[in-house]
Amino acid sequence: MPVIKSAIKRVKTNEKAEKQNIVQKSAMRNAIKKFEKAQAAGSDNLEETFKDAISKIDHVKSKGLIKANKASRDKSRLTRLFNK
């Protein structure tokens, strides 16, 4: 544990940011799973869940939590599922 006051504050800030990042990445993964389940079940709201999943991927990418290539790969995979 740091001794310097600014370092102590930095640790608290980092922990807070880490929790928020985990929440956002989890929301992205949940949206992807929700779309995949809807697609497998042939749901009516497939387009809505697709747009939500793509939106979550873009949001997480814009925050720098995932790399651009992973975002592109995930969106491409979901688009292929959507067009089946």
Side-chain angles (χ1 to χ4, degrees):
M1 188 69 187
V3 177
I4 299 169
K5 189 175 184 179
S6 62
I8 292 169
K9 289 180 182 179
R10 197 70 231 160
V11 167
K12 288 181 183 177
T13 304
N14 287 342
E15 288 173 351
K16 185 178 175 184
E18 183 181 5
K19 287 178 184 174
Q20 187 59 35
N21 291 345
I22 289 170
V23 168
Q24 290 178 355
K25 286 177 77 173
S26 178
M28 178 197 72
R29 288 190 294 264
N30 288 338
I32 290 171
K33 288 177 190 174
K34 185 177 178 181
F35 169 74
E36 288 172 342
K37 286 181 182 177
Q39 194 274 335
S43 280
D44 300 339
N45 62 348
L46 193 62
E47 186 172 349
E48 181 182 321
T49 56
F50 173 72
K51 286 181 180 179
D52 184 45
I54 296 296
S55 173
K56 299 276 185 184
I57 292 170
D58 285 337
H59 179 74
V60 171
K61 183 191 120 217
S62 72
K63 298 295 181 188
L65 303 179
I66 61 172
K67 295 191 181 236
N69 283 355
K70 176 173 171 45
S72 179
R73 184 177 66 240
D74 286 349
K75 287 166 55 174
S76 175
R77 184 174 55 82
L78 293 180
T79 302
R80 274 187 278 138
L81 280 175
F82 182 67
N83 291 329
K84 275 189 175 180

